[in-house]
Amino acid sequence: MFWLKILKDFIKIFREGQDPKQVAWGFALGMIVGLSPMFNLQGLIVWLLILFLNVNLAAAVLGFTIFSIIAFIFDPLFHMLGYEILTQLHFFDPAYTYLYNAPIFPFTKFNNTVVMGSLVSAVVLLLPVYFGMKHFILAYRKHIGSKVEKWKIFKALKQSSLVRTYIKIRDLGGLR
């Protein structure tokens, strides 16, 4: 039921709810975690930022999910980018040596080509994803939302037994 609550919250934020900036930052931070390979220190740090900052958790989970799929597709490109950064930019060699010998930095796995390429890509995409998502939410609230609610598929999903059951449970207080 946790996932239904996140889905409900995310659909609700398109129509109303939190400030578009909070939603966009949640989505953008979820993008960083989604593009990075799992189980490293920078992923943990970004998840902690998501939890402690005033950003939308449902948007972060959606961004993580979407960009995890995209990352799987673009891993060969991330590898090539990371390989170039780690092997061709020799002026970073002293920094790499220092960080590798530092007590905590090896847990970031920065010396992995896919990790380095995906991290650099995520940092480069952070602001475009933020502004793009913010613009999308504003456009949805102003123009698109009313049109989507008129679609037959939207009306059919709204009338499905699963959604009606969920609404009954939610109204009883089970998902609040």
Side-chain angles (χ1 to χ4, degrees):
M1 292 307 228
F2 172 74
W3 295 109
L4 283 177
K5 180 169 178 20
I6 289 202
L7 181 63
K8 179 194 99 164
D9 289 345
F10 191 74
I11 292 171
K12 184 179 177 184
I13 62 171
F14 274 154
R15 288 184 280 171
E16 61 196 53
Q18 285 185 316
D19 185 35
K21 294 176 187 176
Q22 294 170 314
V23 177
W25 275 121
F27 189 79
L29 290 173
M31 179 260 318
I32 292 175
V33 179
L35 287 180
S36 299
M38 296 296 286
F39 307 117
N40 54 30
L41 185 60
Q42 63 263 25
L44 176 65
I45 290 169
V46 174
W47 275 117
L48 289 174
L49 280 173
I50 290 169
L51 293 174
F52 289 120
L53 294 177
N54 191 14
V55 299
N56 188 278
L57 180 62
V61 171
L62 181 69
F64 168 74
T65 304
I66 290 171
F67 285 98
S68 293
I69 295 167
I70 291 171
F72 180 72
I73 296 167
F74 286 102
D75 270 351
L77 293 174
F78 294 153
H79 166 71
M80 287 189 296
L81 177 62
Y83 181 80
E84 292 297 318
I85 291 169
L86 290 171
T87 62
Q88 301 302 316
L89 301 177
H90 296 294
F91 56 89
F92 282 134
D93 288 347
Y96 294 152
T97 303
Y98 175 77
L99 292 175
Y100 190 76
N101 290 321
I104 294 188
F105 264 91
F107 294 113
T108 63
K109 299 179 184 176
F110 73 91
N111 58 337
N112 182 309
T113 57
V114 176
V115 172
M116 180 61 81
S118 65
L119 181 63
V120 168
S121 298
V123 168
V124 167
L125 291 173
L126 181 66
L127 289 178
V129 167
Y130 165 74
F131 286 115
M133 188 62 168
K134 183 179 163 190
H135 178 71
F136 173 74
I137 291 168
L138 291 172
Y140 184 88
R141 288 181 182 177
K142 191 171 187 178
H143 304 291
I144 302 169
S146 60
K147 293 177 184 174
V148 169
E149 290 178 4
K150 293 177 184 176
W151 291 354
K152 290 180 183 180
I153 186 90
F154 184 82
K155 291 177 182 177
L157 286 173
K158 196 172 182 180
Q159 296 300 319
S160 74
S161 61
L162 178 65
V163 172
R164 285 192 312 234
T165 304
Y166 169 73
I167 290 171
K168 285 180 187 176
I169 293 170
R170 182 197 67 194
D171 291 342
L172 291 174
L175 294 177
R176 292 191 191 246

